[in-house]
Amino acid sequence: MTYVTGFVTPVKTADKDAYLRCAQAAAPIFKEFGALAVVENWGADIRDGKHTDFKMAVKLEPDETVVLSWIIWPDKATGDAAEKKMMEDPRFHEMEMPFDGKRMVVGGFETIFEA
């Protein structure tokens, strides 16, 4: 089964276009490193939770929007190798990152069911 790296990120609402440009620039590099798919989703209906929610997870500020993203890898080994390559690749270090990475939530997930 595939492996997924997931992200929940706060992005300044005014920076939506800049974020999209960043995602569009990064996607081909992820694909070069073995990604099967790269998906970016701009928050449209982020509901308030009673105990926790996406907004609380990233400490969302009033002028920000939650972005939910994921990268699908063929397996965990490919995802892990890609992460190492990203850290060494100057293209990522030169890229404008229009989001607060300190409040980004990141995790790796093994796919256990797919329909």
Side-chain angles (χ1 to χ4, degrees):
M1 290 296 248
T2 55
Y3 183 76
V4 177
T5 306
F7 309 87
V8 180
T9 310
V11 178
K12 295 260 185 222
T13 304
D15 289 343
K16 181 178 182 180
D17 290 339
Y19 182 84
L20 181 57
R21 285 191 302 274
C22 175
Q24 290 168 328
I29 304 170
F30 292 136
K31 293 266 191 139
E32 177 185 322
F33 294 161
L36 301 174
V38 178
V39 180
E40 297 287 343
N41 303 277
W42 190 261
D45 183 16
I46 308 301
R47 299 172 187 172
D48 294 328
K50 291 184 180 179
H51 301 285
T52 192
D53 59 31
F54 282 112
K55 295 175 192 177
M56 285 187 258
V58 297
K59 298 183 180 178
L60 194 73
E61 296 177 5
D63 62 340
E64 295 176 326
T65 299
V66 175
V67 172
L68 172 64
S69 311
W70 60 86
I71 304 170
I72 301 174
W73 306 99
D75 50 44
K76 186 176 186 310
T78 303
D80 288 348
E83 185 174 344
K84 288 181 183 178
K85 290 177 187 176
M86 284 181 264
M87 295 301 151
E88 298 169 0
D89 194 308
R91 294 174 291 183
F92 282 100
H93 298 288
E94 296 163 359
M95 200 175 290
E96 176 191 2
M97 303 286 186
F99 56 87
D100 185 349
K102 292 179 284 219
R103 293 184 288 140
M104 176 190 289
V105 178
V106 181
F109 301 84
E110 293 177 348
T111 303
I112 60 170
F113 175 79
E114 191 172 331

